[in-house]
Amino acid sequence: MASPIAATAPYWVPALSMLMIYRRVRRNFGVQPWRPVRSGIRLGVLVLVAAMLCALGAFQPSLALGLGIGATLGALLGLLALKHTHVAWRDDQRTYTPNPWIGGALTALLVGRIAWRYTHEGFAATQAPSALTMGMATVLIGYSLAYVIGLMVQMRRLAAERAATDPPAP
């Protein structure tokens, strides 16, 4: 007898995947408000996932090359995206406008991998992870780490510039 979670997985896994994709697409376009607490939590989760991927590479050397290349490419893409991100004050709130092309390409990579996995494996994890899959995962993690850290630095710089130019209150 299957557990209720396993029996309902074909329904809620695609729904959660679509919610995740929707949120990712929404974050790629237009002016975004800066939410420091949310970004700090995101950074903590990303560091934890990156540490787990590093441990996976240490325990499965066949995946190490894919993990390393993916992390490097992701970090480089994150730095490139930061160069094309505009930060500004809008209505007394720090905001940023991400580059839609880089974020859109990474979202397409994620959607493509999810679609491939669903159509070929039906979300059943019967095979060991491949170096390509792990490389794609680390591209996204490396990108997100570099982007969040860089955005935090840019937002601190933006706040410091405003504090330096604003006259002191009487």
Side-chain angles (χ1 to χ4, degrees), residues 56-144:
L56 179 66
F59 291 117
Q60 291 190 359
S62 62
L63 301 177
L65 182 63
L67 292 169
I69 291 172
T72 303
L73 286 175
L76 291 173
L77 277 173
L79 294 174
L80 179 66
L82 280 170
K83 284 182 74 172
H84 298 288
T85 297
H86 178 71
V87 297
W89 285 94
R90 183 173 284 179
D91 298 328
D92 280 338
Q93 183 178 10
R94 292 178 285 182
T95 62
Y96 65 100
T97 307
N99 181 292
W101 296 104
I102 296 171
L106 286 172
T107 300
L109 176 73
L110 175 66
V111 169
R113 179 59 189 144
I114 289 173
W116 174 268
R117 185 169 177 101
Y118 184 71
T119 58
H120 287 80
E121 300 170 15
F123 285 113
T126 57
Q127 298 177 342
S130 69
L132 177 62
T133 299
M134 292 293 100
M136 292 170 76
T138 54
V139 165
L140 293 168
I141 298 300
Y143 167 83
S144 298

Side-chain angles (χ1 to χ4, degrees), residues 41-55:
I41 292 169
R42 182 178 293 135
L43 180 61
V45 170
L46 288 169
V47 167
L48 181 65
V49 171
M52 289 192 294
L53 287 172
C54 287

Side-chain angles (χ1 to χ4, degrees), residues 9-20:
Y11 304 106
W12 59 264
V13 169
L16 281 176
S17 298
M18 294 307 296
L19 177 64
M20 179 182 67

